[in-house]
Amino acid sequence: MNAQHTPIIKDFFDPETWTYTYVVYEGEGSPCVIIDSVMNYDPKSGRTTTKSADEVIAFVKAHQLQVAWILETHAHADHLTAAPYLQSHLGGKLVIGDHITNVQKVFKGVFNLDENFKVDGTQFDQLLKEGESLPFGNLSLKALFVPGHTPACMAYEIGDAIFVGDTLFMPDVGTARCDFPGGDAKTLYRSIQKILSYSGETKLYMCHDYPPNNRPATGVTTVADEKANNIHVHDGVTEEQFVAMRTTRDKTLDMPTLILPSIQVNIRAGHFPEADSNGVAYLKIPLNAL
């Protein structure tokens, strides 16, 4: 890639949800994309705040960037997206993979949502198919369909970097769980191999880091490092071994703290449900359903 078209990547880490948000751009005043934003949420009070998103907004404005696309790698189960809030302040279009419709159909049933909730993805401005590209200035991103953690996960290739969502974590953390509705360990293994087929120097940007042994949080590694050192899926681990490990491990994991509010909001592209007659919006808690 021509040096003048090399992406600059700025990360923002939300320590409450261990989530990385990325702003990718070319230079001062250039178009940019925002990947996997965070709306802060207090599960005790049900109150949202915008601290994490406001840091992104301040950076974008300070560098006079023009937001083209606000991207989700998937409908997150561990944090609420701030995409509509960012859009209201910065512009841009909300984007996710086209298989989000499958996730919407499943969770419309789980939450018994009414007929006003559409399962066609129209809550987003654009749905991306495998291999499709979106331009922003002299840069472009390519969508890579990487299901397994959810049936709708997308990674985004920009230059020599891939934003992998929850397919992979840092090598000492491993890989994503597959026990949510529509998840599948065999499918995740194949998606990971798709990412690891890139050249060893390719940079991989995580959506999360859960650092063990008190190491500092970090969001970037390489294909070569993952292939050599990932504790779940390094070179030599077969699909059968991975599925057995992942299935056994997933049975021991607690549900994410924010799964119920997150999924309800994120399948709506980050929009809250319509307010009741008292002006307050409500989320549902399905009892004994998950």
Side-chain angles (χ1 to χ4, degrees):
M1 177 175 286
N2 189 305
Q4 71 181 46
H5 297 166
T6 299
I8 300 170
I9 300 168
K10 169 64 177 176
D11 66 70
F12 299 82
F13 184 64
D14 176 58
E16 293 180 358
T17 61
W18 308 95
T19 303
Y20 278 99
T21 297
Y22 298 98
V23 176
V24 187
Y25 63 108
E26 186 180 352
E28 295 290 316
S30 72
C32 73
V33 300
I34 301 171
I35 303 173
D36 288 337
S37 63
V38 175
M39 174 67 70
N40 303 105
Y41 178 80
D42 179 3
K44 299 185 186 70
S45 67
R47 183 167 293 278
T48 61
T49 56
T50 59
K51 177 180 180 295
S52 293
D54 288 337
E55 292 175 2
V56 175
I57 291 170
F59 178 84
V60 168
K61 290 185 174 180
H63 293 274
Q64 299 181 317
L65 304 178
Q66 310 302 312
V67 176
W69 311 103
I70 301 172
L71 299 140
E72 305 291 345
T73 53
H74 61 293
H76 308 276
D78 44 24
H79 70 273
L80 281 67
T81 176
Y85 177 75
L86 292 175
Q87 185 181 48
S88 70
H89 286 269
L90 300 172
K93 293 186 176 181
L94 310 186
V95 182
I96 201 167
D98 63 334
H99 287 263
I100 186 62
T101 55
N102 297 332
V103 177
Q104 289 176 327
K105 290 171 187 173
V106 169
F107 283 101
K108 181 172 185 174
V110 169
F111 292 110
N112 195 32
L113 302 178
D114 64 30
E115 66 276 2
N116 292 325
F117 178 75
K118 296 181 179 179
V119 293
D120 57 4
T122 53
Q123 298 85 349
F124 298 83
D125 297 313
Q126 188 151 344
L127 304 182
L128 282 182
K129 294 181 170 59
E130 159 73 12
E132 282 191 326
S133 295
L134 291 175
F136 55 109
N138 292 310
L139 300 172
S140 68
L141 64 89
K142 179 182 177 182
L144 304 175
F145 184 43
V146 287
H149 171 59
T150 80
C153 290
M154 279 287 186
Y156 299 112
E157 178 185 354
I158 306 175
D160 65 350
I162 301 175
F163 298 84
V164 300
D166 285 7
T167 53
L168 282 163
F169 298 136
M170 294 299 291
D172 58 356
V173 179
T175 57
R177 66 194 298 165
C178 300
D179 59 333
F180 297 152
D184 182 77
K186 183 180 292 187
T187 301
L188 180 62
Y189 180 88
R190 294 173 183 177
S191 292
I192 290 170
Q193 298 310 312
K194 180 177 181 177
I195 292 170
L196 297 184
S197 70
Y198 280 74
S199 68
E201 312 86 59
T202 303
K203 296 174 185 176
L204 304 180
Y205 286 83
M206 313 289 110
C207 182
H208 299 285
D209 188 31
Y210 307 98
N213 304 318
N214 297 314
R215 71 158 170 78
T218 182
V220 61
T221 182
T222 64
V223 166
D225 194 17
E226 292 282 11
K227 291 175 73 172
N229 300 308
N230 188 288
I231 59 174
H232 294 165
V233 72
H234 56 77
D235 278 348
V237 175
T238 66
E239 181 179 297
E240 183 179 13
Q241 290 170 328
F242 178 80
V243 170
M245 177 282 301
R246 194 68 265 169
T247 303
T248 300
R249 179 172 170 76
D250 287 350
K251 291 177 181 177
T252 71
L253 300 178
D254 292 333
M255 281 284 128
T257 300
L258 299 185
I259 184 171
L260 295 176
S262 294
I263 290 291
Q264 289 178 77
V265 170
N266 294 341
I267 60 174
R268 293 178 165 93
H271 300 287
F272 297 153
E274 286 189 21
D276 278 10
S277 57
N278 62 354
V280 177
Y282 292 86
L283 298 172
K284 292 185 174 184
I285 299 178
L287 300 178
N288 304 314
L290 291 178

